[in-house]
Amino acid sequence: LKASRNPIYRQQASMISSGFPICLLSLFVLPGYSLVLDLENFTSWKKSGQHSPRNASKSFMPRHSIVQCDEYGHDIRRFPDNMVLLGKHGLWCPTAKVGSTTIYSALARLMNFPGQGKRVQRCFPSNEKRGKRCWYPGRMENALEVVKRGYGKNLCKPFAFTFVRNPWDRLRSAYLDKIKSSQLVVDGKKNISFADFVRFVGKQDPWMMNAHWRPVSLNCLVNGTDGARYDHVFRLEDGFEWQLTYALQRMGFHPKKIQSHNRLTRPGVAERIEYYTTAPGISNPHELVDIVARVYAEDIKVSNYSFEKYA
């Protein structure tokens, strides 16, 4: 089921996906086919791998595919389009500002890709939309491309993992890396204050957010029983390097020491509290804290995050 930015269609989507209707629809999905419903554009049945057109937007709106993983229609799963299939090794859902540069760099070394680190072509559907196809078909490709080629069932068995991060730290990291450095323009303005940036995020439709601060619960469907299936959802704060090493080993790799990128944007609790509660221009110490708590409520709930604790 494709959720739309239009609140009316999103309400309809919620009604359809809430229980009985979607179960009833799944009875009619033939083996090898996926159900693709886009309530804002059109509703259609398409063979696994085909998608309805996307609306043009400045930000890439995340999409998900529904794939029938068994012969009888009892195992229906959802896969984020930006999920990356690593050959026959595993499935990883990347999220910007949650160790993605380090993971891409490690995979480039382990899978002998020609690029390293930030020079590795990212396998995001938004890249393909801009004409930048994944450089490594058959070895690293996003779920959208896999489903388009009619091999959706290849997504059903591999070891699947993703990383999540405390949203207060992730949003601060996005601000320092993308906004304060003027790499991204927000609301037509460059280098806005942290307070104005958080307020801007608080007014955005989460589905239309930039990937660097879009909630993980939307980007990778990490939202409990209604989300995608993962063997492991790792919290970055619980030890990123050893958890990534474990995930790579589970996929059959033999990684050497993992070296993390962007260490400077991982604050401790005291630094986080000071940054949010003493930011210039805030109306009260809890203003920005409360905005993040509201926007990222699902991320906080699913991964048991807290503003006052490191994780």
Side-chain angles (χ1 to χ4, degrees):
L1 183 66
K2 307 301 182 181
S4 163
R5 68 178 297 188
N6 186 310
I8 297 177
Y9 291 112
R10 205 158 56 228
Q11 183 180 16
Q12 294 174 354
S14 176
M15 294 172 60
I16 293 177
S17 62
S18 62
F20 175 75
I22 195 66
C23 297
L24 182 62
L25 286 172
S26 68
L27 296 177
F28 300 96
V29 181
L30 299 177
Y33 282 74
S34 294
L35 173 62
V36 178
L37 298 178
D38 190 322
L39 294 170
E40 188 164 14
N41 294 316
F42 57 84
T43 301
S44 64
W45 295 90
K46 294 188 177 183
K47 187 170 176 57
S48 266
Q50 298 182 7
H51 282 247
S52 51
R54 290 191 173 92
N55 290 333
S57 173
K58 292 183 180 180
S59 296
F60 170 69
M61 190 163 75
R63 299 282 298 269
H64 313 106
S65 299
I66 298 176
V67 177
Q68 180 178 315
C69 290
D70 67 346
E71 184 178 354
Y72 303 103
H74 301 305
D75 187 6
I76 306 295
R77 303 188 193 180
R78 297 198 293 169
F79 294 92
D81 283 352
N82 63 311
M83 209 170 197
V84 177
L85 179 64
L86 305 167
K88 296 182 179 179
H89 295 283
L91 267 173
W92 162 52
C93 188
T95 296
K97 311 311 299 176
V98 191
S100 59
T101 297
T102 299
I103 298 175
Y104 269 114
S105 179
L107 291 170
R109 293 192 300 269
L110 293 169
M111 303 183 76
N112 297 316
F113 293 152
Q116 294 290 329
K118 294 185 178 181
R119 292 190 291 130
V120 177
Q121 175 64 50
R122 307 300 176 93
C123 293
F124 290 150
S126 53
N127 282 343
E128 295 186 10
K129 189 174 181 180
R130 293 192 295 264
K132 300 179 180 179
R133 294 183 63 82
C134 184
W135 287 358
Y136 322 110
R139 291 196 291 166
M140 179 191 286
E141 52 190 333
N142 59 59
L144 173 64
E145 184 65 24
V146 175
V147 176
K148 274 184 176 181
R149 295 194 294 108
Y151 295 101
K153 284 192 174 182
N154 289 354
L155 304 172
C156 299
K157 292 184 178 181
F159 171 81
F161 77 100
T162 191
F163 276 87
V164 296
R165 184 179 186 181
N166 188 303
W168 285 278
D169 292 341
R170 180 172 173 240
L171 190 62
R172 175 179 180 268
S173 176
Y175 172 75
L176 293 174
D177 186 35
K178 301 298 179 183
I179 308 302
K180 193 172 183 179
S181 65
S182 298
Q183 292 187 37
L184 293 177
V185 176
V186 173
D187 211 14
K189 302 175 183 178
K190 288 185 177 181
N191 195 18
I192 64 174
S193 70
F194 181 64
D196 286 340
F197 171 63
V198 176
R199 294 182 187 119
F200 169 79
V201 172
K203 296 176 182 178
Q204 276 195 296
D205 180 341
W207 286 98
M208 302 306 297
M209 286 181 180
N210 183 280
H212 291 88
W213 57 84
R214 184 185 304 126
V216 181
S217 54
L218 295 183
N219 191 63
C220 287
L221 282 181
V222 182
N223 54 358
T225 56
D226 195 34
R229 297 187 192 180
Y230 291 96
D231 293 283
H232 280 281
V233 176
F234 300 105
R235 299 200 313 175
L236 182 144
E237 298 82 7
D238 293 338
F240 176 63
E241 288 82 2
W242 78 261
Q243 290 182 110
L244 177 56
T245 299
Y246 169 77
L248 293 172
Q249 290 173 342
R250 280 289 305 269
M251 293 189 292
F253 295 113
H254 302 284
K256 296 181 180 179
K257 184 178 179 180
I258 301 295
Q259 183 175 1
S260 296
H261 297 257
N262 304 326
R263 285 181 176 273
L264 294 178
T265 56
R266 294 192 195 177
V269 177
E271 184 180 351
R272 176 201 303 154
I273 293 175
E274 181 180 4
Y275 205 87
Y276 273 88
T277 60
T278 64
I282 59 176
S283 60
N284 64 77
H286 298 286
E287 180 191 2
L288 307 185
V289 178
D290 293 343
I291 292 175
V292 174
R294 172 177 55 82
V295 173
Y296 298 92
E298 189 70 21
D299 288 7
I300 294 168
K301 176 183 176 181
V302 170
S303 300
N304 195 29
Y305 277 121
S306 168
F307 177 68
E308 292 83 7
K309 298 178 181 179
Y310 178 62

